Amino acid sequence: ETPDTSKTMSPPVHQKKTIEHKIRVLLVDDQAISGEYVKRCLANVPDLEFHHCMDPSKAVELANKIQPTVILQDLVMPEIDGLMLVKFFRVNPTTRDTPMIVLSSKEEATIKAESFARGANDYLVKWPEAVELVARIRYHSNGYIHLLERNEAYAALETSQKALAAEIAAGSAYVQSLLPAPMTDPLAIDWRYVPCADLAGDSLGFHTLDDEHVAIYLLDVTGHGLASALLGVTVMNVLRAKSLPNTDFRKPGEVLGALNEAFPMENQNNNCFSIWYAVLHLPTRTLRWSGGGHPASLLFTPDQPNTAIQLESDGPIIGMMPWPEFESSERQVPPGSRLYVYSDGAQEIHLADGTEWPFEEFIQFMAQPVNSDSSIMDRLLAHVRMLRGSKTLDDDFSIIEATL
């Protein structure tokens, strides 16, 4: 029974609850009467917490402990100059952004200017009416609490993104681990697979069906990301395990018909896929193939090594619609023939000027003589990156080279 990827649910997103921040007032003033006045002003404000520090040398330490949402800072105190203490608060990491209201006994422009230059947010002549004091405290505290909540949200988002990136990287490594090792016997097959995103929609494979038959296939799922990757891996595993019921995997058209029935797009998050599937019969050197919505594969024979024979994909894309029968084609392949099966990401290249790389030029590139020093697949990847003007391509780059 083939797995149904439409049942795959996205992992739940765990959202960290935002911390509830209470308004905390720290008064730094060596006069007990100041503390008593502020305490009485705030007595009828239930959602507010008040702290009074009479020793300015301990003010920063206390602020680190209670983490106030606003600091009321007297300018005239023994031992430590009030303006200097403002500077200390500003270089202290815990109170670097905490709103500060400096307190003075008189309205003086130069002292005001110096206070703001040192980092104060407000200037208050002692003492205003309680309603004004509460309003200033609430105004500055609310602004600071909004800043804290924004920073916490950014931190939570960054943590979530890192966790998601780690999961995607693990998924990408798993997908690539499923791709087959190059084959050397009974024929030589190699591949290149470069996803344009961490989780790609392309999949490829090849394996012996029995002593006389070798299957080669490449598929391209619509879209990118988790859903596309899951569908691609599922189809690849189905083909590798030969788990389609009542299907002769030596008959390409029959395989595509069974895939079309097993993976209708309405059951796959509206994803469908193109595929080119071929079987080589070793004793007779007969290559049979069938394709659904996929680019034509290229065959180069020893008698015409620089002329590409296009092995067309005549069927519709898999899963898009019911289809009565997928046709199979066949031809004899002489020893030394080269077959290239690729996804559209290997030849539909959007150039830097906005145009697209002509298909005829792609054919010409693939028809160049074989170079023992470098694989044509590596040269193609380097060339399309040069054409694109970027190492990152628009689509997944996948290609199989089989020397028949």
Side-chain angles (χ1 to χ4, degrees):
E1 184 179 351
T2 58
D4 183 0
T5 59
S6 68
K7 302 294 192 298
T8 303
M9 300 287 291
S10 299
V13 178
H14 299 288
Q15 294 182 339
K16 185 177 180 181
K17 186 178 179 181
T18 304
I19 299 172
E20 264 191 58
H21 294 280
K22 188 174 184 179
I23 295 178
R24 292 186 178 88
V25 180
L26 173 60
L27 170 64
V28 183
D29 193 312
D30 62 312
Q31 299 293 324
I33 191 171
S34 295
E36 187 61 28
Y37 176 78
V38 176
K39 183 179 180 181
R40 290 187 180 186
C41 289
L42 306 180
N44 295 322
V45 185
D47 61 335
L48 187 148
E49 186 179 300
F50 175 65
H51 299 268
H52 182 199
C53 179
M54 297 180 62
D55 184 351
S57 65
K58 297 180 180 179
V60 174
E61 180 183 352
L62 180 59
N64 288 339
K65 180 180 179 181
I66 67 171
Q67 298 188 16
T69 58
V70 65
I71 298 172
L72 306 179
Q73 166 70 60
D74 191 23
L75 290 182
V76 181
M77 292 181 294
E79 298 182 9
I80 297 180
D81 176 66
L83 289 175
M84 183 59 67
L85 187 55
V86 171
K87 185 176 181 180
F88 288 164
F89 275 125
R90 282 295 172 250
V91 298
N92 177 49
T94 305
T95 56
R96 179 179 54 199
D97 299 316
T98 306
M100 296 193 66
I101 304 175
V102 297
L103 308 173
S104 179
S105 59
K106 56 183 177 179
E107 188 86 21
E108 190 171 335
T110 55
I111 298 297
K112 252 189 195 182
E114 182 65 18
S115 299
F116 291 131
R118 295 290 182 97
N121 299 87
D122 204 349
Y123 186 95
L124 188 61
V125 176
K126 299 193 292 187
W127 283 104
E129 294 292 332
V131 64
E132 179 185 350
L133 180 62
V134 171
R136 287 177 186 256
I137 287 173
R138 193 176 294 281
Y139 170 77
H140 289 293
S141 291
N142 287 341
Y144 182 58
I145 288 172
H146 291 328
L147 174 65
L148 293 176
E149 290 173 343
R150 185 201 68 180
N151 292 343
E152 288 161 6
Y154 283 156
L157 178 61
E158 183 179 5
T159 300
S160 175
Q161 288 176 332
K162 286 180 179 178
L164 179 60
E167 291 180 4
I168 289 176
S172 178
Y174 170 71
V175 170
Q176 299 212 32
S177 73
L178 297 177
L179 300 178
M183 179 183 287
T184 56
D185 183 61
L187 65 156
I189 308 180
D190 201 358
W191 52 266
R192 298 294 183 270
Y193 176 86
V194 182
C196 71
D198 289 323
L199 286 173
D202 286 6
S203 291
L204 57 87
F206 42 84
H207 55 267
T208 56
L209 297 172
D210 51 41
D211 291 341
E212 294 187 346
H213 297 86
V214 177
I216 304 170
Y217 48 88
L218 191 150
L219 61 103
D220 182 0
V221 181
T222 54
H224 304 283
L226 181 60
S228 298
L230 284 174
L231 179 55
V233 167
T234 301
V235 175
M236 180 172 61
N237 285 335
V238 163
L239 294 173
R240 186 163 55 185
K242 295 179 285 188
S243 59
L244 291 169
N246 305 316
T247 302
D248 187 345
F249 282 81
R250 297 169 298 180
K251 298 179 179 180
E254 197 171 304
V255 171
L256 265 62
L259 288 173
N260 196 52
E261 290 183 9
F263 295 97
M265 63 184 296
E266 58 268 22
N267 293 341
Q268 311 300 328
N269 297 315
N270 288 323
N271 283 326
C272 45
F273 58 93
S274 69
I275 187 172
W276 195 89
Y277 180 94
V279 175
L280 177 65
H281 183 234
L282 298 170
T284 63
R285 306 197 61 80
T286 301
L287 183 70
R288 297 183 177 90
W289 75 90
S290 184
H294 203 80
S297 296
L298 304 181
L299 180 68
F300 296 91
T301 58
D303 56 330
Q304 292 182 304
N306 300 322
T307 301
I309 301 169
Q310 297 187 40
L311 308 183
E312 296 289 350
S313 171
D314 297 321
I317 193 167
I318 303 300
M320 182 172 287
M321 66 185 82
W323 198 252
E325 183 179 3
F326 284 80
E327 299 290 338
S328 293
S329 303
E330 68 175 57
R331 67 173 297 126
Q332 303 300 118
V333 288
S337 298
R338 292 178 292 124
L339 174 69
Y340 294 98
V341 189
Y342 55 91
S343 64
D344 54 13
Q347 51 90 194
E348 290 184 0
I349 310 300
H350 299 288
L351 308 182
D353 62 2
T355 61
E356 190 169 295
W357 190 28
F359 183 71
E360 294 75 17
E361 292 187 14
F362 166 72
I363 295 291
Q364 292 172 9
F365 187 93
M366 298 302 295
Q368 62 184 288
V370 175
N371 185 344
S372 59
D373 295 332
S374 64
S375 166
I376 184 67
M377 297 184 291
D378 292 329
R379 281 179 277 157
L380 175 63
L381 177 59
H383 187 68
V384 298
R385 281 174 168 167
M386 182 272 294
L387 292 174
R388 183 72 184 96
S390 171
K391 188 175 180 179
T392 302
L393 301 177
D394 289 333
D395 202 355
D396 304 325
F397 178 99
S398 301
I399 185 168
I400 297 174
E401 179 185 56
T403 304
L404 308 178

